[in-house]
Amino acid sequence: MPLSQSSDASRNPEPRHVGVLLAAGAGRRYGKPKVLVDGWLDTAVGALRGGGCADVVVVLGAAQIVPPPRVTAVVAPDWEDGLSASVRAGLAGADRMRADYAVLHVIDTPDVGPAVVARVLDRAARSGAGLARAYFGDRPGHPVVLARAHWPAVLAWLSGDQGAGAYLRGRADVERVDCADLADGRDIDFPAGAPEG
């Protein structure tokens, strides 16, 4: 799907940041779609909003929910293909909202709050490339911020269960934003108390 041009700077002098919450998966290891876990959706939406996103798009697939107020739901019909399908649907939603930056976030990192999102978004906005990714020590995580100019290339790199990381890997112009002082940033794949593996 071709992306529209960014909005006219004279009508929209401030860059528009849209949060894209990737929540389409079935959560097989967790036992249910993670978008259905109590509190996680509100926490993730709050992190994106509080961190500087004007609007939030939640990408659904395995489970359909009524989105919170002022959140736009989009469905990735091919969600079973993996993360790439969710990113594709989310960027299309951000494109319809005329975003200048997409802030990709995941539903299953509930300790990531607004301060993490704000730090990563600020670094992306101040960088020349408009690319930034949260790191927690040496471990890459979310959110990931992508300026609009990169979206076509990101879409070209998407495949299977790989998201924007395939495009970002190895690029020298990606801001690595350490957020280990703010959150652990680990994906939660199993319910509390469940044996892993």
Side-chain angles (χ1 to χ4, degrees), residues 8 17 164 186:
D8 187 323
H17 310 128
R186 288 191 186 276

Side-chain angles (χ1 to χ4, degrees), residues 31-99:
K32 66 180 176 182
K34 295 176 184 178
V35 73
L36 301 178
V37 177
D38 284 346
W40 283 10
L41 177 60
D42 290 337
T43 297
V45 168
L48 289 166
R49 280 231 177 89
C53 295
D55 291 292
V56 176
V57 173
V58 59
V59 182
L60 303 174
Q64 302 302 310
I65 54 133
V66 175
R70 300 181 303 116
V71 172
T72 301
V74 298
V75 176
D78 51 349
W79 65 268
E80 289 182 278
D81 291 348
L83 190 57
S84 61
S86 294
V87 174
R88 197 174 294 113
L91 287 180
D95 180 54
R96 287 190 292 274
M97 292 179 170
R98 314 288 291 176

Side-chain angles (χ1 to χ4, degrees), residues 2-195:
L3 298 172
S4 61
Q5 296 300 310
S6 185
S7 51
D8 187 323
S10 65
R11 288 181 289 143
N12 186 16
E14 291 295 318
R16 185 171 182 76
H17 310 128
V18 171
V20 175
L21 182 57
L22 306 172
R28 288 180 184 88
R29 288 180 290 181
Y30 196 88
K32 66 180 176 182
K34 295 176 184 178
V35 73
L36 301 178
V37 177
D38 284 346
W40 283 10
L41 177 60
D42 290 337
T43 297
V45 168
L48 289 166
R49 280 231 177 89
C53 295
D55 291 292
V56 176
V57 173
V58 59
V59 182
L60 303 174
Q64 302 302 310
I65 54 133
V66 175
R70 300 181 303 116
V71 172
T72 301
V74 298
V75 176
D78 51 349
W79 65 268
E80 289 182 278
D81 291 348
L83 190 57
S84 61
S86 294
V87 174
R88 197 174 294 113
L91 287 180
D95 180 54
R96 287 190 292 274
M97 292 179 170
R98 314 288 291 176
D100 298 296
Y101 291 87
V103 183
L104 305 183
H105 191 34
V106 290
I107 192 83
D108 59 355
T109 56
D111 76 328
V112 171
V116 173
V117 175
R119 182 181 289 179
V120 179
L121 187 49
D122 178 65
R123 285 280 292 280
R126 289 190 289 117
S127 75
L131 294 171
R133 181 167 202 171
Y135 271 74
F136 302 90
D138 291 331
R139 183 172 37 83
H142 287 87
V144 171
V145 179
L146 308 169
R148 173 180 281 275
H150 295 279
W151 297 0
V154 169
L155 291 169
W157 276 83
L158 292 175
S159 174
D161 207 29
Q162 292 214 338
Y167 174 72
L168 299 177
R169 220 174 340 270
R171 291 186 64 102
D173 55 356
V174 178
E175 295 285 326
R176 293 173 51 125
V177 186
D178 188 15
C179 298
D181 60 319
L182 299 173
D184 177 71
R186 288 191 186 276
D187 298 351
I188 298 178
D189 288 330
F190 298 91

